[in-house]
Amino acid sequence: MNVLITLTSAGTDTGPFNLYSNVDNYTTAFETDISKGILVAGYTSTIVPPGTSAIRVKSIGICTNYVDITLTVPSTTTTTTTRAATTTTTTTAVGSPTTTTTTTAPVGPTTTTTTTPYVGPATTTTTTTIAATTTTTTTTVFVSCEQWQNDTLEEATITYTPCGSGTPVSGYALADTSSVCAVYGSITVTAGGPLTLVGACSAPEPATTTTTTTIPATTTTTTTIPATTTTTTTIPATTTTTTTALVYYSFPITTGYGDSASACGDSSTNMSIYGSSPSFLSNATFYNDYTLLSPFDGSNFYYSNTSNNEYVQISSIGSQTAGGSC
């Protein structure tokens, strides 16, 4: 998992720091000896254990305090306040920076009072109350996956977590020329090998699902002598919060060349570029970083993906103008 960690403040005697995951109850650090300056500036860890929902940042110097940080993703938060019993539905596109559209009614509860001349005999009081309902929000966050292949002439024994499963598999026998799709960073070869990294592979579709139910009105009707009928209806404000996730993919590439043959002949990685699709050739536009906001200036050169032997030609505004297999 790729996670951006930022300390908003840190004491004078704190640092350096170790990072722990709640997956093993903060037992073993997955990154060590990270300086305070790096964490305050914003540090991206690419080896966060799959399934992590909280990270402990612990000082290991003079000060040994720690702070537990609950993971969030780059998001857009929209707050809607309605004055009547209203359901707001938000549809979010995934795979690129997201847009949330919300229709907002005027803010604040409304009270209406009507007084009419008395008609009828004795005093009658009727009160009807409807209990509040529950709001439930379910969020699924994307986990990146990669394909590994056994290109040797003998069987290899591996331990890995299948993409889409989340449950580790031990002692799996991977035949020669066969491959598996594993959660990023989960594969270990215990016998045979080595394996070849083919590239990104299919993963569960990231999605954010928000289900909101509103609080029904409470109505009180009172009839009294002297001769007035007062009806008061009050609708409490309803708040809907929608959070959407930004998904990105990193690709290692060579330096730029004037033709595809030269690019394919180079196997050394010069830099990484980013896209919104896990398939290298399916990206219409490439970017400089994971925010997918700054297009990569490819100057119409050809670049080879050193992880899967594919190439693309990229324009000065990041657009893919040609591509294929080497």
Side-chain angles (χ1 to χ4, degrees):
M1 291 175 60
N2 300 326
V3 177
L4 174 62
I5 306 168
T6 304
L7 284 181
T8 56
S9 63
T12 304
D13 295 328
T14 59
F17 296 86
N18 285 353
L19 303 182
Y20 300 81
S21 168
N22 68 319
V23 168
D24 63 354
N25 200 25
Y26 310 110
T27 301
T28 304
F30 62 86
E31 294 222 32
T32 60
D33 203 29
I34 302 175
S35 71
K36 175 169 63 180
I38 290 176
L39 284 172
V40 170
Y43 174 69
T44 298
S45 174
T46 60
I47 59 173
V48 178
T52 297
S53 61
I55 291 176
R56 176 167 292 175
V57 182
K58 184 176 182 180
S59 175
I60 59 172
I62 297 174
C63 177
T64 58
N65 289 345
Y66 66 84
V67 61
D68 292 341
I69 301 175
T70 300
L71 296 191
T72 59
V73 290
S75 62
T76 300
T77 301
T78 303
T79 301
T80 304
T81 303
T82 61
R83 80 181 310 172
T86 303
T87 299
T88 300
T89 301
T90 302
T91 301
T92 304
V94 297
S96 58
T98 58
T99 301
T100 300
T101 302
T102 304
T103 303
T104 305
V107 176
T110 300
T111 301
T112 303
T113 303
T114 304
T115 303
T116 60
Y118 171 72
V119 177
T123 301
T124 302
T125 302
T126 303
T127 303
T128 304
T129 303
I130 302 175
T133 54
T134 302
T135 299
T136 302
T137 302
T138 302
T139 303
T140 300
V141 181
F142 175 84
V143 176
S144 60
C145 298
E146 50 191 10
Q147 184 175 359
W148 291 85
Q149 181 165 312
N150 182 6
D151 288 332
T152 67
L153 298 179
E154 61 181 19
E155 182 183 272
T157 302
I158 63 172
T159 296
Y160 77 110
T161 300
C163 188
S165 168
T167 302
V169 176
S170 299
Y172 180 81
L174 183 63
D176 59 294
T177 72
S178 297
S179 63
V180 293
C181 184
V183 172
Y184 177 87
S186 70
I187 194 162
T188 303
V189 180
T190 57
L195 305 186
T196 301
L197 176 60
V198 179
C201 57
S202 62
E205 281 297 323
T208 299
T209 303
T210 302
T211 304
T212 303
T213 55
T214 58
I215 300 175
T218 298
T219 302
T220 301
T221 302
T222 304
T223 304
T224 62
I225 299 173
T228 58
T229 300
T230 302
T231 302
T232 303
T233 302
T234 303
I235 301 175
T238 300
T239 301
T240 301
T241 301
T242 302
T243 302
T244 57
L246 173 66
V247 179
Y248 65 91
Y249 303 87
S250 174
F251 304 100
I253 61 170
T254 63
T255 189
Y257 291 92
D259 56 77
S260 60
S262 298
C264 289
D266 187 357
S267 61
S268 59
T269 299
N270 182 55
M271 69 185 79
S272 290
I273 56 177
Y274 298 78
S276 60
S277 172
S279 170
F280 184 58
L281 295 178
S282 295
N283 286 279
T285 305
F286 293 97
Y287 300 87
N288 289 308
D289 55 46
Y290 73 91
T291 63
L292 307 185
L293 297 176
S294 174
F296 172 68
D297 181 0
S299 301
N300 292 319
F301 286 139
Y302 289 83
Y303 301 84
S304 171
N305 183 340
T306 58
S307 71
N308 68 358
N309 213 28
E310 294 176 340
Y311 73 88
V312 291
Q313 183 183 26
I314 306 176
S315 72
S316 60
I317 58 173
S319 298
Q320 180 187 161
T321 55
S325 298
C326 291

